[in-house]
Amino acid sequence: MKFVKLLPLLAIVALLGFTSCSPDSAAEDEISAIEVLAAPQAKQIEIEIMELINAHRINEGLTALNDHNTVKAVAYTHTDYMIEADNVSHDNFFQRKQSLQVNANANIVSENVAYGFSSAESVVNAWLNSPSHRENIEGDYTDFDISAEQNSEGRWYFTNIFIKR
């Protein structure tokens, strides 16, 4: 979905009082959930990433995570945002968190983002080699999903969100 198609949704979001994504913001409690759109069908690279993450978790003695369509839909909106902004970021994380709390009964939410990797193995290995990303992969979560989308030049952007219900 292109950013232009999200403009009406973003206008509604702005009107609902979304504010700073800073965890120290007093306005965080005022954030309203964003509307969750339908999740696109999983791509092969997304399936492979989820399988690699679950294989790693099992190898570490952790439980495998369940895929979750609402998580995928929210991840997709952020991946599309990053492509439109031409920037890899955690912008608006608290909006995604609030949406997942409301729409997926999430108690805890975290995410990994990435750009430019050309295979499932390369992006998962990069995340596992980063302590903070690895912590998310190995965290106490119940569900997860991923969005992998290519920009007009064929470069991949990734948003991987983890939740605990």
Side-chain angles (χ1 to χ4, degrees):
M1 175 181 293
K2 295 295 179 196
F3 183 72
V4 174
K5 292 180 183 175
L6 287 177
L7 283 177
L9 174 62
L10 293 175
I12 292 169
V13 168
L15 292 173
L16 292 175
F18 285 109
T19 57
S20 171
C21 62
S22 167
D24 298 326
S25 172
E28 179 182 345
D29 294 333
E30 299 173 13
I31 296 174
S32 300
I34 60 174
E35 179 183 348
V36 176
L37 306 173
Q41 185 172 359
K43 295 173 189 63
Q44 186 61 37
I45 193 170
E46 294 167 336
I47 294 167
E48 291 171 9
I49 290 169
M50 293 172 63
E51 288 173 349
L52 288 167
I53 288 173
N54 270 337
H56 173 80
R57 287 179 59 87
I58 291 166
N59 190 51
E60 295 295 311
L62 303 168
T63 59
L65 301 175
N66 301 305
D67 59 318
H68 196 289
N69 279 338
T70 303
V71 173
K72 181 169 187 56
V74 171
Y76 175 75
T77 62
H78 185 61
T79 303
D80 193 52
Y81 165 83
M82 291 191 301
I83 289 171
E84 291 297 324
D86 193 25
N87 184 42
V88 178
S89 70
H90 293 284
D91 290 356
N92 309 310
F93 172 76
F94 286 105
Q95 293 172 13
R96 291 186 295 288
K97 177 181 176 185
Q98 180 71 22
S99 179
L100 290 167
Q101 288 171 329
V102 170
N103 296 297
N105 298 317
N107 294 313
I108 300 171
V109 180
S110 69
E111 74 181 10
N112 289 340
V113 297
Y115 160 78
F117 296 93
S118 59
S119 70
E121 295 82 9
S122 62
V123 71
V124 172
N125 286 337
W127 284 333
L128 290 174
N129 287 321
S130 163
S132 61
H133 294 97
R134 183 184 192 107
E135 184 177 320
N136 287 340
I137 289 172
E138 296 177 354
D140 183 19
Y141 300 105
T142 55
D143 306 271
F144 75 140
D145 223 306
I146 186 155
S147 170
E149 298 295 329
Q150 290 178 293
N151 68 8
S152 61
E153 296 157 0
R155 292 192 182 104
W156 287 99
Y157 285 73
F158 305 89
T159 304
N160 186 196
I161 299 179
F162 303 85
I163 68 169
K164 180 175 183 177
R165 293 188 291 151

